[in-house]
Amino acid sequence: MASSTRQKEKAATLLSLHTGGRLLVLPNVWDPLGARILQAKGYPAIATASAAISASLGFKDGERIRRASLIETIGRIAHSVDVPVTADIEAGYGTTVSELEDTIRAVIGAGVVGINIEDGLGDGGALRSMEDQCARISAVRDFAARQDLHLVIHARIDCYYVASAFANAADATEETVSRAAAYAKAGADCVYPLGPGDEATVRILRARIATPINILVTPTAAPLAVLESIGVNRVSFGPFVHRTLMKQFVDIVDAVMRERDATGIKGMLTKNQIAEYLLDGPE
């Protein structure tokens, strides 16, 4: 299953967006509508959020949906836009390398040109060994190469997230730096130290990690302009855009139920405005 010329071009575009000094901003989406809105607003690439996709299907994060459900969703997103799409595939939906390769085959077949793959083993409980994760990243790189595609590998590092594994933040930083170097050597194009987005921590990571870095945008993270000035290459929002919108939904329906107050329905897109992002034809 060789990749198409267009898919290879998208992968090259996505890879190039991680260098050059300009911050790649990725407000993660969970459906084609969100992807089409971002494309229309000028975003050069689209990233999905596994937690948001799972939540939109009624499930918790952590590979609790079927792999087929994930692939169907990211495929719909990838085929809804012309810009590159990178997908969060959690830990890879497979315990063995062979199962991981099956996931990557399906991801590439869905038209996706980048992945986010994590080294955490669920709910902040443990980390996959560095050696094992390097083997998995290397297997992904080799498998994609056999499909004639430079799949952009975004390696999430969960050391800060798995706080119980380290005596203190300094130890977590040391392990993060070590894993970043190892994952890059194994084939990762960008590393994603999940956790603190504060300026002090980001400056340490940027100074000690040669690979492009992604930082998670949170209410307590450093402003985007500061992250860009430090030399961060990419930022993503995880499930936070989705959760913000769901909070607004909860507020609306709570007000309707408790107070018979429907004034929360305001400031919406009109029928014609939302139609700008929707397709006319049959599926």
Side-chain angles (χ1 to χ4, degrees), residues 4-15:
S4 69
T5 299
R6 181 60 182 140
Q7 191 170 14
K8 287 186 282 188
E9 290 172 347
K10 286 183 177 181
T13 296
L14 179 61
L15 183 61

Side-chain angles (χ1 to χ4, degrees), residues 263-275:
T263 58
I265 303 176
K266 58 185 178 181
M268 69 186 77
L269 292 175
T270 66
K271 178 180 178 181
N272 288 338
Q273 286 172 329
I274 200 168

Side-chain angles (χ1 to χ4, degrees), residues 106-259:
V107 166
I108 293 173
V112 169
V113 297
I115 61 163
N116 180 87
I117 187 166
E118 60 200 50
D119 59 8
L121 293 174
D123 295 328
L127 286 170
R128 193 180 299 276
S129 74
M130 188 188 307
E131 294 74 18
D132 191 9
Q133 187 68 357
C134 284
R136 289 168 70 85
I137 291 170
S138 180
V140 171
R141 172 60 64 226
D142 292 345
F143 181 85
R146 295 198 296 272
Q147 316 310 309
D148 196 24
L149 180 73
H150 186 98
L151 186 72
V152 179
I153 300 175
H154 182 236
R156 198 178 97 177
I157 305 172
D158 282 5
C159 297
Y160 295 110
Y161 184 55
V162 186
S164 60
F166 302 96
N168 50 53
D171 288 350
T173 295
E174 290 301 319
E175 182 70 10
T176 295
V177 170
S178 295
R179 285 180 179 250
Y183 295 170
K185 185 175 181 180
D189 299 293
C190 180
V191 296
Y192 175 17
L194 182 70
D198 62 281
E199 182 176 349
T201 303
V202 173
R203 285 191 181 279
I204 293 170
L205 294 174
R206 177 69 287 173
R208 299 187 62 191
I209 295 175
T211 313
I213 295 177
N214 180 95
I215 295 297
L216 179 66
V217 175
T218 70
T220 59
L224 297 190
V226 172
L227 294 175
E228 186 168 27
S229 71
I230 292 171
V232 170
N233 307 87
R234 161 175 165 167
V235 294
S236 55
F237 291 65
F240 297 138
V241 173
H242 178 261
R243 291 177 185 172
T244 298
L245 295 176
M246 288 300 97
K247 175 59 167 62
Q248 293 173 354
F249 175 76
V250 168
D251 288 345
I252 289 170
V253 297
D254 270 351
V256 170
M257 173 61 72
R258 296 175 182 176
E259 304 168 22

